Amino acid sequence: MRKIKVYHYDAFSSIPNLGNPAGVVLDGETLTEEQMREIAEKVGFNETAFPLKSDKADVRIRFFTPGHEINLCGHATMATIYALKTKGLLGHHTDLRIETKAGVLPIRITSNDGLHITMKQAVPQFQEFKGSLKDLAYSMGIEESDIESKLPTLYGSTGIWTLLIPIRTLAAFKRMQPNNQLFPNVLKEMPKASIHPFCIETYDPHAHMHARHFSSPFSGTIEDPVTGTASGVMGAYYARYINKHAPSLDLLIEQGHEIGRDGKIRVSVTDNGNGIEVTGNAVYVNEFDVLI
């Protein structure tokens, strides 16, 4: 058996054991795709990242849930770049590009008031949800009346698809008990998409949106504490449907409170809602070995 070193970082927090945990494997060049997935399964976090050499960018990153590979993961990107930078593997570079299955994306690193990482995401896409709001609410353990009918429930993506669900009150989030196995039958257009309920009522008076993120059952996890890609497309949704007239927006998004992993993400929206940048941080927690 082979011993693989995994570094545990928490993203979107500067305090260990808050925010979103990610595994980072730095010596993955000789690993097969199935070995990467097996490592992610044994690590058990929502995502484990494998930074690799790239012939078209500064670094290539592959992202795995315990169940399968995904195109892009915001919090695991934050963790990986933080790991590479703090370990001296990026030299003095503060602007770089990462190769992902969602495309080649620019990254900016700033060091004022701690290390912060800004990630430009793909141009937002939206697609209509034609399913039953009643069934959707049931799959989350809430009532259909908890869903805000004055705003659209839509699939959105800045690299990976999720269903954006506007919720009327913050109180409804505490009642949510997702049955992830029901999601594929409800999400008939995109059965492998995740579910992302949000509202504009927040715990932090400085935040603009609150959210939870429930994983696709194919990923092998239940809930993602603080999600970078979903927060990015939430920013685009905010610009398109909530504050339609602002030429640009600087949003603060909170997530994770209901499961004791609260974290925060800054989302910058420019270019009439088409330019999305997500800024966050990370913190080292520990390291451990898995056997494959």
PDB file of all heavy atoms in Angstrom, residues 97-113:
ATOM      1  N   ARG A  97      -2.351  31.974 -13.261  1.00  0.00           N
ATOM      2  CA  ARG A  97      -3.506  31.356 -13.906  1.00  0.00           C
ATOM      3  C   ARG A  97      -3.549  29.891 -13.518  1.00  0.00           C
ATOM      4  O   ARG A  97      -2.515  29.223 -13.449  1.00  0.00           O
ATOM      5  CB  ARG A  97      -3.421  31.506 -15.421  1.00  0.00           C
ATOM      6  CG  ARG A  97      -3.408  32.963 -15.888  1.00  0.00           C
ATOM      7  CD  ARG A  97      -3.526  33.074 -17.400  1.00  0.00           C
ATOM      8  NE  ARG A  97      -2.576  32.212 -18.075  1.00  0.00           N
ATOM      9  CZ  ARG A  97      -2.795  31.631 -19.255  1.00  0.00           C
ATOM     10  NH1 ARG A  97      -3.947  31.820 -19.876  1.00  0.00           N
ATOM     11  NH2 ARG A  97      -1.881  30.864 -19.812  1.00  0.00           N
ATOM     12  N   ILE A  98      -4.768  29.398 -13.270  1.00  0.00           N
ATOM     13  CA  ILE A  98      -4.922  27.989 -12.954  1.00  0.00           C
ATOM     14  C   ILE A  98      -5.713  27.298 -14.065  1.00  0.00           C
ATOM     15  O   ILE A  98      -6.667  27.853 -14.605  1.00  0.00           O
ATOM     16  CB  ILE A  98      -5.611  27.764 -11.594  1.00  0.00           C
ATOM     17  CG1 ILE A  98      -7.018  28.381 -11.559  1.00  0.00           C
ATOM     18  CG2 ILE A  98      -4.769  28.345 -10.459  1.00  0.00           C
ATOM     19  CD1 ILE A  98      -7.848  27.948 -10.352  1.00  0.00           C
ATOM     20  N   GLU A  99      -5.288  26.095 -14.392  1.00  0.00           N
ATOM     21  CA  GLU A  99      -5.999  25.279 -15.367  1.00  0.00           C
ATOM     22  C   GLU A  99      -6.973  24.375 -14.615  1.00  0.00           C
ATOM     23  O   GLU A  99      -6.581  23.629 -13.724  1.00  0.00           O
ATOM     24  CB  GLU A  99      -5.010  24.430 -16.172  1.00  0.00           C
ATOM     25  CG  GLU A  99      -5.681  23.493 -17.170  1.00  0.00           C
ATOM     26  CD  GLU A  99      -4.713  22.492 -17.789  1.00  0.00           C
ATOM     27  OE1 GLU A  99      -3.491  22.651 -17.610  1.00  0.00           O
ATOM     28  OE2 GLU A  99      -5.198  21.540 -18.436  1.00  0.00           O
ATOM     29  N   THR A 100      -8.254  24.457 -14.978  1.00  0.00           N
ATOM     30  CA  THR A 100      -9.276  23.594 -14.384  1.00  0.00           C
ATOM     31  C   THR A 100     -10.129  23.023 -15.518  1.00  0.00           C
ATOM     32  O   THR A 100     -10.018  23.444 -16.670  1.00  0.00           O
ATOM     33  CB  THR A 100     -10.199  24.378 -13.429  1.00  0.00           C
ATOM     34  OG1 THR A 100     -11.094  25.197 -14.215  1.00  0.00           O
ATOM     35  CG2 THR A 100      -9.405  25.276 -12.490  1.00  0.00           C
ATOM     36  N   LYS A 101     -10.996  22.102 -15.191  1.00  0.00           N
ATOM     37  CA  LYS A 101     -11.906  21.565 -16.203  1.00  0.00           C
ATOM     38  C   LYS A 101     -13.017  22.550 -16.547  1.00  0.00           C
ATOM     39  O   LYS A 101     -13.801  22.312 -17.462  1.00  0.00           O
ATOM     40  CB  LYS A 101     -12.486  20.226 -15.740  1.00  0.00           C
ATOM     41  CG  LYS A 101     -11.443  19.120 -15.744  1.00  0.00           C
ATOM     42  CD  LYS A 101     -12.062  17.739 -15.759  1.00  0.00           C
ATOM     43  CE  LYS A 101     -10.984  16.690 -16.035  1.00  0.00           C
ATOM     44  NZ  LYS A 101     -11.546  15.328 -16.141  1.00  0.00           N
ATOM     45  N   ALA A 102     -13.087  23.681 -15.824  1.00  0.00           N
ATOM     46  CA  ALA A 102     -14.005  24.765 -16.167  1.00  0.00           C
ATOM     47  C   ALA A 102     -13.292  25.844 -16.984  1.00  0.00           C
ATOM     48  O   ALA A 102     -13.862  26.902 -17.239  1.00  0.00           O
ATOM     49  CB  ALA A 102     -14.603  25.370 -14.906  1.00  0.00           C
ATOM     50  N   GLY A 103     -12.040  25.595 -17.372  1.00  0.00           N
ATOM     51  CA  GLY A 103     -11.266  26.561 -18.141  1.00  0.00           C
ATOM     52  C   GLY A 103     -10.047  27.050 -17.383  1.00  0.00           C
ATOM     53  O   GLY A 103      -9.781  26.631 -16.254  1.00  0.00           O
ATOM     54  N   VAL A 104      -9.293  27.945 -18.031  1.00  0.00           N
ATOM     55  CA  VAL A 104      -8.126  28.565 -17.398  1.00  0.00           C
ATOM     56  C   VAL A 104      -8.587  29.860 -16.736  1.00  0.00           C
ATOM     57  O   VAL A 104      -9.150  30.742 -17.390  1.00  0.00           O
ATOM     58  CB  VAL A 104      -7.009  28.839 -18.435  1.00  0.00           C
ATOM     59  CG1 VAL A 104      -5.865  29.603 -17.791  1.00  0.00           C
ATOM     60  CG2 VAL A 104      -6.514  27.526 -19.034  1.00  0.00           C
ATOM     61  N   LEU A 105      -8.368  29.964 -15.427  1.00  0.00           N
ATOM     62  CA  LEU A 105      -8.917  31.078 -14.645  1.00  0.00           C
ATOM     63  C   LEU A 105      -7.799  31.865 -13.963  1.00  0.00           C
ATOM     64  O   LEU A 105      -6.859  31.271 -13.433  1.00  0.00           O
ATOM     65  CB  LEU A 105      -9.876  30.538 -13.581  1.00  0.00           C
ATOM     66  CG  LEU A 105     -11.027  29.659 -14.100  1.00  0.00           C
ATOM     67  CD1 LEU A 105     -11.801  29.062 -12.934  1.00  0.00           C
ATOM     68  CD2 LEU A 105     -11.961  30.463 -14.998  1.00  0.00           C
ATOM     69  N   PRO A 106      -7.900  33.200 -13.967  1.00  0.00           N
ATOM     70  CA  PRO A 106      -6.888  34.020 -13.300  1.00  0.00           C
ATOM     71  C   PRO A 106      -7.082  34.062 -11.785  1.00  0.00           C
ATOM     72  O   PRO A 106      -8.206  34.069 -11.285  1.00  0.00           O
ATOM     73  CB  PRO A 106      -7.073  35.402 -13.923  1.00  0.00           C
ATOM     74  CG  PRO A 106      -8.450  35.420 -14.470  1.00  0.00           C
ATOM     75  CD  PRO A 106      -8.863  34.002 -14.734  1.00  0.00           C
ATOM     76  N   ILE A 107      -5.948  34.105 -11.079  1.00  0.00           N
ATOM     77  CA  ILE A 107      -5.928  34.178  -9.608  1.00  0.00           C
ATOM     78  C   ILE A 107      -5.064  35.362  -9.213  1.00  0.00           C
ATOM     79  O   ILE A 107      -4.006  35.599  -9.804  1.00  0.00           O
ATOM     80  CB  ILE A 107      -5.319  32.896  -9.002  1.00  0.00           C
ATOM     81  CG1 ILE A 107      -6.177  31.678  -9.329  1.00  0.00           C
ATOM     82  CG2 ILE A 107      -5.105  33.045  -7.497  1.00  0.00           C
ATOM     83  CD1 ILE A 107      -7.449  31.566  -8.545  1.00  0.00           C
ATOM     84  N   ARG A 108      -5.507  36.116  -8.204  1.00  0.00           N
ATOM     85  CA  ARG A 108      -4.722  37.242  -7.679  1.00  0.00           C
ATOM     86  C   ARG A 108      -4.545  37.052  -6.176  1.00  0.00           C
ATOM     87  O   ARG A 108      -5.505  36.743  -5.468  1.00  0.00           O
ATOM     88  CB  ARG A 108      -5.443  38.558  -7.983  1.00  0.00           C
ATOM     89  CG  ARG A 108      -4.651  39.807  -7.622  1.00  0.00           C
ATOM     90  CD  ARG A 108      -5.330  41.057  -8.152  1.00  0.00           C
ATOM     91  NE  ARG A 108      -6.581  41.369  -7.480  1.00  0.00           N
ATOM     92  CZ  ARG A 108      -7.797  41.203  -8.017  1.00  0.00           C
ATOM     93  NH1 ARG A 108      -7.923  40.706  -9.235  1.00  0.00           N
ATOM     94  NH2 ARG A 108      -8.882  41.537  -7.342  1.00  0.00           N
ATOM     95  N   ILE A 109      -3.318  37.214  -5.705  1.00  0.00           N
ATOM     96  CA  ILE A 109      -3.019  37.043  -4.287  1.00  0.00           C
ATOM     97  C   ILE A 109      -2.633  38.401  -3.699  1.00  0.00           C
ATOM     98  O   ILE A 109      -1.769  39.098  -4.233  1.00  0.00           O
ATOM     99  CB  ILE A 109      -1.860  36.045  -4.078  1.00  0.00           C
ATOM    100  CG1 ILE A 109      -2.199  34.685  -4.706  1.00  0.00           C
ATOM    101  CG2 ILE A 109      -1.548  35.873  -2.595  1.00  0.00           C
ATOM    102  CD1 ILE A 109      -1.021  33.723  -4.752  1.00  0.00           C
ATOM    103  N   THR A 110      -3.294  38.789  -2.612  1.00  0.00           N
ATOM    104  CA  THR A 110      -2.943  40.031  -1.904  1.00  0.00           C
ATOM    105  C   THR A 110      -2.599  39.699  -0.455  1.00  0.00           C
ATOM    106  O   THR A 110      -3.099  38.727   0.103  1.00  0.00           O
ATOM    107  CB  THR A 110      -4.101  41.044  -1.944  1.00  0.00           C
ATOM    108  OG1 THR A 110      -5.291  40.412  -1.448  1.00  0.00           O
ATOM    109  CG2 THR A 110      -4.349  41.525  -3.361  1.00  0.00           C
ATOM    110  N   SER A 111      -1.724  40.522   0.123  1.00  0.00           N
ATOM    111  CA  SER A 111      -1.198  40.204   1.457  1.00  0.00           C
ATOM    112  C   SER A 111      -1.544  41.235   2.515  1.00  0.00           C
ATOM    113  O   SER A 111      -1.016  41.191   3.618  1.00  0.00           O
ATOM    114  CB  SER A 111       0.330  40.054   1.391  1.00  0.00           C
ATOM    115  OG  SER A 111       0.678  39.030   0.493  1.00  0.00           O
ATOM    116  N   ASN A 112      -2.417  42.196   2.211  1.00  0.00           N
ATOM    117  CA  ASN A 112      -2.775  43.175   3.235  1.00  0.00           C
ATOM    118  C   ASN A 112      -3.819  42.556   4.174  1.00  0.00           C
ATOM    119  O   ASN A 112      -4.817  42.003   3.730  1.00  0.00           O
ATOM    120  CB  ASN A 112      -3.310  44.480   2.617  1.00  0.00           C
ATOM    121  CG  ASN A 112      -4.157  44.260   1.395  1.00  0.00           C
ATOM    122  OD1 ASN A 112      -4.007  43.265   0.717  1.00  0.00           O
ATOM    123  ND2 ASN A 112      -5.043  45.189   1.118  1.00  0.00           N
ATOM    124  N   ASP A 113      -3.548  42.655   5.474  1.00  0.00           N
ATOM    125  CA  ASP A 113      -4.421  42.089   6.506  1.00  0.00           C
ATOM    126  C   ASP A 113      -4.605  40.580   6.298  1.00  0.00           C
ATOM    127  O   ASP A 113      -5.714  40.061   6.273  1.00  0.00           O
ATOM    128  CB  ASP A 113      -5.781  42.808   6.506  1.00  0.00           C
ATOM    129  CG  ASP A 113      -6.624  42.433   7.724  1.00  0.00           C
ATOM    130  OD1 ASP A 113      -6.023  42.064   8.753  1.00  0.00           O
ATOM    131  OD2 ASP A 113      -7.854  42.486   7.633  1.00  0.00           O
TER     132      ASP A 113
END
